[in-house]
Amino acid sequence: MPRPPGHGPGYEVKRQEIIDQAAALFAKQGYAATGIAELGEVAGLAKGALYYYIGSKENLLVEIQDRVLGPLLTGARSIAALDEDPVLKLRLLSQALLDIILARLDHIWVYEHDYRHLTGSNRSRLLRQRREFEKIVRGLLVAAMDVGAFRRLDPRLAMLQFLNLHNHTYQWARADGPWDAAFLSREYCATLISGFCSDGYDVAGLEKRLAEYRERSSA
Amino acid sequence: MPRPPGHGPGYEVKRQEIIDQAAALFAKQGYAATGIAELGEVAGLAKGALYYYIGSKENLLVEIQDRVLGPLLTGARSIAALDEDPVLKLRLLSQALLDIILARLDHIWVYEHDYRHLTGSNRSRLLRQRREFEKIVRGLLVAAMDVGAFRRLDPRLAMLQFLNLHNHTYQWARADGPWDAAFLSREYCATLISGFCSDGYDVAGLEKRLAEYRERSSA
Amino acid sequence: MPRPPGHGPGYEVKRQEIIDQAAALFAKQGYAATGIAELGEVAGLAKGALYYYIGSKENLLVEIQDRVLGPLLTGARSIAALDEDPVLKLRLLSQALLDIILARLDHIWVYEHDYRHLTGSNRSRLLRQRREFEKIVRGLLVAAMDVGAFRRLDPRLAMLQFLNLHNHTYQWARADGPWDAAFLSREYCATLISGFCSDGYDVAGLEKRLAEYRERSSA
Amino acid sequence: MPRPPGHGPGYEVKRQEIIDQAAALFAKQGYAATGIAELGEVAGLAKGALYYYIGSKENLLVEIQDRVLGPLLTGARSIAALDEDPVLKLRLLSQALLDIILARLDHIWVYEHDYRHLTGSNRSRLLRQRREFEKIVRGLLVAAMDVGAFRRLDPRLAMLQFLNLHNHTYQWARADGPWDAAFLSREYCATLISGFCSDGYDVAGLEKRLAEYRERSSA
DNA sequence: CATGAATGAGAGTTCATTCAT
DNA sequence: CATGAATGAACTCTCATTCAT
């Protein structure tokens, strides 16, 4: 993200504001259908000044993607590194993912819909990061099989089911909807784990173990 | 789709070909990013001749949506009307849905991504049809609860889980992929039904009942 | 008007029908705003067949102009050649002009509005004919001055007043309007001759002399 | 004519220049036959920059119509409100009308020829204003009958004669022609009033009364 | 820092005309 | 005689981007 050097103190603040507003507009109307002029109106800036902050329209898209993928990967990596039961880690990852989806619905909408408008290295960087996230999910699923919690499943298909169920949520979720991330994560995981687990696995026990973990880690 | 009267026998054939090609391009690049000129190149027609067939760019989008929603609703309605166990009907609906998704991956991609570019009555008609489909799914889920096969779930959340799991498939499925609709439907339904069913429900028995139904109905 | 040689008997009939329909459309919507396709629809012919009859769009314009200017010049020439009082001849010319205007309102509309879309020789021919008509009017006015009926006026300005008053009629006249050509001619000429005539000229007597002339010439 | 906010000082100047140039082109070639590209060439601007000023092609037409109808109605209303002899007021209105016609020949040409290309509210607004002008003329003619200056005429036909004679002037007048508005108005009114007036009305006296009025009102 | 003005390519669409069948 | 299909240029308009001030 090369930025022209030498900016005043308010630069980054204003810049982040503009990205917020862009995300909202892109989510509502689509990236392609949103014009720079419209962004300027919302930001209260003329086009020239806008470009001073954003560099280019595609840059905005990159920033929005990063705002999603950055926390997502950070969260996923640290969860993967925990020394805990893989099923519990899946549950944690599920909630982290839903947290981000619900907290930044507009960003997610752009992330899911308009990543195709990225070009060149922006695009390949994005795809690499997406693959890393998928790999972490798959790794946890395989670990759950290895410890005998899950049946032997096709790891890729299991991962895709996990992602299908979570990622499609942005299509219908609303900031003021009835369900929060914790609730949705519990429901989704109940469904997935019932389907994936070995005979006799104690599905209901997971939430208790989650509560224990929370207590432990906050201590 | 009113067409000016008086067209030769080859007209409709060519027209359908063009819609095929448009679906492929829209799926690959997005509706907004695909130009009429590009469509013309692929179709081997100048822009003028192209318009002779398509009427407008939005018209293409409408046709593609209809190719998805038409069969989908027809299938869903006839399945809903069957006098069978609601869980079996869900399994049938799941496969019908995946059949369409996998058979017309590019159409689905456009259907899921670019419906927002529809305007006016085209848009409202689409949304109405989508709601009808969702209502059928919800109806089957509620019926499964009523007969005691499923636990008492929030019907809307159950429907959304069903749709999340199925509809997101277009994001990664490939025409030459390893899994067909029958296989995916079995896996998805296994997951969902394990999660949704009442204690003691015979999940594994579903596939046997499906085979019996197939035999019966083909007889 | 070179036409491809060798036509069947119905050719000219159909051709004239098409010109009628074209005049109606051009009058209502303007020449530029009327498409060949629209003409075809009205004529019940596909575009190819239409071109067989019309040659080109501009050709239609030429034909319409001719339908106006042909009779107009023929009438004007024969009136100018009469051995009568020039004021009476002006009265006759006025009515001939209004006859044509009211009888073919749509043609006149096109004639007055769209002659600018003519190109090349079509255009110069039209302008030549228009000038000839103006010359005839001017000649009659000068003759009326020469015999002492009219004051000495600027001949060009007198002619222009004559034409202003008559030619602008197409702007508001309606086929089903309250006034016919005879009435309008009487009114217009009353106005003009009152303004143009020498002191003591018997304006009111003109209509009587007109009636006598009519009797004479029909005998 | 709502313009986006925030324009520099030169904006309106340039904008008016462009409208001038557009009026000249439209008058010469017709609105429909004049392309945006051609306007840009004349203005020395690329198409994009042109649109920055004009908004749309139809907007240009609206502006040109307003430049004619604005002064025309303002003038007509203030003349109608004068406490003077109706015949004198007709004479004043005649000259005001011809002033505008001769001062902005190209605008008038567009006004008379291309108003049909206006759509929607632009069109209805124009027609409403045209009718108001006609009503003022008719009102003055009826007033002249009421005071006994004119014979009892059909008010509508008298108005139409007035308008025919004046409005058709644009068809042949030239900016560098031999006659100015004052002269033409005197001639036209002499013709009309001779035709319309009651027996014994002092036509010749009108010009004297006009001179007196001018003296009075300039004092 | 911020502006308004300009660009130029490209968008979707229309249309008079041609021609093989 | 008549058709439907094809062309290609022109149409109005939009938009991301740049830059002198």
Side-chain angles (χ1 to χ4, degrees):
Chain A
M1 237 62 35
R3 297 269 109 239
H7 290 304
Y11 179 85
E12 196 55 29
V13 176
K14 186 117 200 168
R15 189 171 136 74
Q16 295 299 328
E17 259 178 50
I18 292 171
I19 299 171
D20 283 341
Q21 295 162 331
L25 278 178
F26 290 168
K28 196 163 52 164
Q29 308 171 339
Y31 173 79
T34 303
I36 288 288
E38 206 172 352
L39 280 168
E41 263 174 52
V42 168
L45 256 58
K47 278 190 272 193
L50 197 67
Y51 265 83
Y52 174 69
Y53 290 106
I54 67 173
S56 77
K57 195 186 176 189
E58 183 168 343
N59 240 325
L60 284 172
L61 199 47
V62 172
E63 301 276 358
I64 293 169
Q65 305 282 354
D66 281 347
R67 283 184 174 186
V68 171
L69 271 170
L72 198 56
L73 278 177
T74 305
R77 285 188 197 120
S78 72
I79 288 171
L82 292 176
D83 183 25
E84 298 284 343
D85 164 37
V87 180
L88 178 63
K89 293 205 279 189
L90 274 171
R91 174 67 175 77
L92 289 169
L93 184 58
S94 158
Q95 188 157 337
L97 175 53
L98 286 165
D99 264 332
I100 290 173
I101 290 174
L102 293 182
R104 305 210 153 183
L105 265 176
D106 48 12
H107 287 66
I108 301 295
W109 192 278
V110 178
Y111 169 79
E112 292 283 343
H113 261 69
D114 293 313
Y115 67 86
R116 301 189 137 205
H117 292 104
L118 292 173
T119 59
S121 63
N122 287 331
R123 185 167 200 157
S124 47
R125 195 167 125 274
L126 169 77
L127 294 176
R128 204 180 328 121
Q129 292 181 303
R130 290 200 171 199
R131 274 195 302 270
E132 183 187 346
F133 182 77
E134 293 176 3
K135 202 171 160 189
I136 292 174
V137 175
R138 201 168 51 239
L140 293 180
L141 289 162
V142 169
M145 298 178 210
D146 289 345
V147 300
F150 287 0
R151 291 178 283 125
R152 278 284 148 206
L153 305 155
D154 182 313
R156 180 164 154 76
L157 182 54
M159 172 202 74
L160 290 168
Q161 289 194 60
F162 182 95
L163 292 181
N164 279 4
L165 197 53
H166 287 81
N167 284 346
H168 210 65
T169 303
Y170 79 94
Q171 278 274 358
W172 49 261
R174 301 262 225 85
D176 58 350
W179 305 311
D180 64 7
F183 175 78
L184 280 179
S185 178
R186 200 186 326 141
E187 294 290 311
Y188 287 180
C189 287
T191 302
L192 288 170
I193 294 171
S194 299
F196 292 169
C197 67
S198 306
D199 275 355
Y201 181 82
D202 177 20
V203 179
L206 175 59
E207 292 301 319
K208 198 157 66 182
R209 279 186 289 138
L210 176 65
E212 289 164 10
Y213 165 78
R214 288 256 154 83
E215 204 139 331
R216 240 184 303 144
S217 63
S218 71
Chain B
M1 249 42 53
R3 298 264 107 236
H7 286 301
Y11 179 85
E12 197 55 29
V13 176
K14 186 127 201 167
R15 187 171 138 74
Q16 296 298 331
E17 263 176 44
I18 291 171
I19 300 172
D20 286 340
Q21 294 163 332
L25 276 178
F26 290 168
K28 195 165 51 167
Q29 309 172 336
Y31 174 79
T34 303
I36 289 288
E38 207 173 352
L39 278 169
E41 262 174 51
V42 168
L45 288 170
K47 276 192 284 187
L50 197 66
Y51 265 83
Y52 177 67
Y53 289 102
I54 67 172
S56 76
K57 194 186 175 191
E58 182 167 345
N59 236 323
L60 283 173
L61 198 47
V62 171
E63 300 274 1
I64 292 169
Q65 305 279 357
D66 281 347
R67 282 183 175 185
V68 171
L69 271 169
L72 199 55
L73 277 177
T74 305
R77 285 189 198 118
S78 72
I79 288 170
L82 291 177
D83 184 26
E84 298 284 341
D85 166 37
V87 180
L88 178 63
K89 292 206 278 189
L90 275 169
R91 174 67 175 76
L92 289 170
L93 185 57
S94 158
Q95 187 157 337
L97 176 51
L98 286 165
D99 264 333
I100 290 173
I101 291 174
L102 294 181
R104 305 208 156 185
L105 265 176
D106 47 12
H107 286 67
I108 302 294
W109 193 278
V110 178
Y111 169 79
E112 292 283 342
H113 262 70
D114 293 313
Y115 68 85
R116 297 187 141 204
H117 293 102
L118 291 173
T119 61
S121 63
N122 287 330
R123 184 168 200 157
S124 48
R125 196 167 124 272
L126 170 75
L127 294 175
R128 204 180 326 120
Q129 292 181 303
R130 290 201 171 199
R131 276 194 301 270
E132 185 187 344
F133 183 76
E134 293 177 2
K135 202 172 160 189
I136 291 175
V137 175
R138 202 168 51 239
L140 292 181
L141 289 162
V142 169
M145 298 177 211
D146 289 344
V147 298
F150 286 1
R151 290 178 285 124
R152 278 284 147 207
L153 306 154
D154 182 314
R156 183 165 151 75
L157 183 54
M159 172 202 74
L160 290 168
Q161 290 194 59
F162 182 95
L163 292 181
N164 279 4
L165 197 54
H166 286 83
N167 284 346
H168 210 65
T169 303
Y170 78 94
Q171 278 274 359
W172 49 262
R174 302 261 224 85
D176 57 350
W179 305 312
D180 65 7
F183 175 77
L184 281 178
S185 178
R186 200 186 326 142
E187 295 291 310
Y188 287 178
C189 287
T191 302
L192 288 170
I193 294 171
S194 299
F196 292 169
C197 67
S198 307
D199 277 354
Y201 183 81
D202 177 19
V203 180
L206 176 59
E207 293 300 319
K208 197 156 67 180
R209 280 186 290 136
L210 176 65
E212 288 165 9
Y213 165 78
R214 289 258 153 82
E215 201 140 332
R216 240 183 304 141
S217 65
S218 70
Chain C
M1 239 55 43
R3 299 266 108 240
H7 290 304
Y11 178 85
E12 197 56 29
V13 176
K14 186 116 201 169
R15 188 171 136 76
Q16 295 299 328
E17 260 177 47
I18 292 171
I19 299 171
D20 285 340
Q21 295 162 332
L25 278 177
F26 290 167
K28 196 163 51 162
Q29 309 171 337
Y31 173 79
T34 303
I36 288 287
E38 206 173 353
L39 280 168
E41 262 174 51
V42 169
L45 256 56
K47 278 193 270 193
L50 198 67
Y51 266 82
Y52 174 70
Y53 288 107
I54 67 172
S56 78
K57 196 186 176 189
E58 182 169 344
N59 239 325
L60 284 172
L61 198 49
V62 172
E63 301 276 358
I64 293 170
Q65 304 281 357
D66 282 347
R67 283 182 175 187
V68 171
L69 273 170
L72 198 56
L73 279 178
T74 306
R77 285 187 198 121
S78 73
I79 287 170
L82 291 177
D83 184 22
E84 298 283 344
D85 165 37
V87 180
L88 178 63
K89 293 205 280 191
L90 274 169
R91 174 67 175 77
L92 290 170
L93 184 58
S94 158
Q95 187 157 339
L97 176 52
L98 287 164
D99 265 334
I100 289 172
I101 290 174
L102 294 181
R104 304 209 156 183
L105 265 176
D106 49 9
H107 286 67
I108 302 293
W109 192 277
V110 179
Y111 170 78
E112 292 283 342
H113 260 69
D114 292 315
Y115 68 85
R116 300 188 138 208
H117 291 104
L118 292 174
T119 59
S121 63
N122 287 331
R123 183 166 201 159
S124 48
R125 196 168 125 272
L126 169 76
L127 295 175
R128 205 180 325 122
Q129 291 180 302
R130 289 199 171 200
R131 275 195 302 270
E132 184 187 345
F133 183 76
E134 293 177 4
K135 202 172 161 189
I136 291 174
V137 175
R138 200 167 53 239
L140 292 180
L141 288 162
V142 169
M145 298 178 210
D146 289 344
V147 300
F150 286 1
R151 292 178 285 123
R152 277 285 145 204
L153 306 154
D154 181 314
R156 180 163 153 77
L157 183 54
M159 171 202 76
L160 290 168
Q161 288 193 61
F162 181 95
L163 291 181
N164 278 5
L165 198 53
H166 286 81
N167 283 346
H168 210 65
T169 303
Y170 80 94
Q171 277 274 0
W172 48 261
R174 300 261 226 83
D176 58 350
W179 305 311
D180 65 6
F183 175 79
L184 280 179
S185 179
R186 200 186 327 141
E187 294 290 313
Y188 285 0
C189 287
T191 302
L192 288 170
I193 294 171
S194 300
F196 291 170
C197 68
S198 308
D199 276 354
Y201 181 82
D202 177 20
V203 179
L206 176 60
E207 291 301 320
K208 199 155 68 181
R209 280 186 287 137
L210 176 65
E212 289 165 10
Y213 165 78
R214 289 259 154 80
E215 205 141 329
R216 242 184 301 144
S217 66
S218 71
Chain D
M1 249 43 51
R3 298 264 107 237
H7 284 302
Y11 179 85
E12 196 56 29
V13 176
K14 186 127 202 167
R15 188 171 136 75
Q16 295 298 330
E17 264 176 43
I18 291 170
I19 299 172
D20 285 340
Q21 294 163 332
L25 275 179
F26 290 167
K28 197 164 53 166
Q29 307 172 338
Y31 173 79
T34 303
I36 289 289
E38 206 173 352
L39 279 168
E41 263 175 51
V42 169
L45 289 170
K47 277 189 284 185
L50 197 67
Y51 266 84
Y52 177 66
Y53 289 104
I54 67 173
S56 78
K57 194 186 175 189
E58 182 167 344
N59 236 323
L60 283 172
L61 197 48
V62 171
E63 300 274 1
I64 293 170
Q65 304 280 357
D66 281 347
R67 283 183 174 186
V68 171
L69 271 169
L72 198 56
L73 278 178
T74 305
R77 286 189 197 118
S78 73
I79 288 171
L82 292 177
D83 184 24
E84 300 284 343
D85 165 38
V87 180
L88 179 63
K89 293 206 280 190
L90 274 170
R91 175 65 175 78
L92 289 169
L93 185 58
S94 158
Q95 188 158 335
L97 176 52
L98 287 164
D99 264 334
I100 289 171
I101 291 174
L102 293 181
R104 305 209 156 184
L105 267 175
D106 48 10
H107 286 67
I108 303 294
W109 193 276
V110 178
Y111 170 79
E112 293 283 342
H113 263 69
D114 292 314
Y115 67 87
R116 298 187 141 205
H117 292 103
L118 292 173
T119 60
S121 63
N122 288 330
R123 183 169 202 157
S124 48
R125 195 168 125 273
L126 170 76
L127 294 176
R128 205 182 325 121
Q129 292 180 302
R130 291 200 170 199
R131 275 195 301 268
E132 185 188 344
F133 183 76
E134 294 178 4
K135 202 173 159 189
I136 291 175
V137 175
R138 201 169 51 239
L140 292 181
L141 289 163
V142 169
M145 298 178 209
D146 289 344
V147 299
F150 287 0
R151 291 179 283 123
R152 279 284 148 207
L153 305 154
D154 182 315
R156 180 164 153 77
L157 183 53
M159 173 202 74
L160 291 168
Q161 289 194 59
F162 182 95
L163 291 180
N164 278 4
L165 197 53
H166 287 82
N167 283 347
H168 210 64
T169 303
Y170 79 94
Q171 278 274 357
W172 48 262
R174 301 259 224 88
D176 58 351
W179 306 311
D180 65 6
F183 175 79
L184 280 179
S185 178
R186 198 185 328 139
E187 295 290 312
Y188 285 0
C189 286
T191 301
L192 288 171
I193 295 171
S194 301
F196 291 170
C197 68
S198 308
D199 277 354
Y201 181 81
D202 178 18
V203 178
L206 176 59
E207 292 301 319
K208 198 154 67 181
R209 281 187 289 137
L210 176 65
E212 289 165 7
Y213 165 78
R214 291 257 152 82
E215 203 139 331
R216 239 182 305 145
S217 64
S218 71

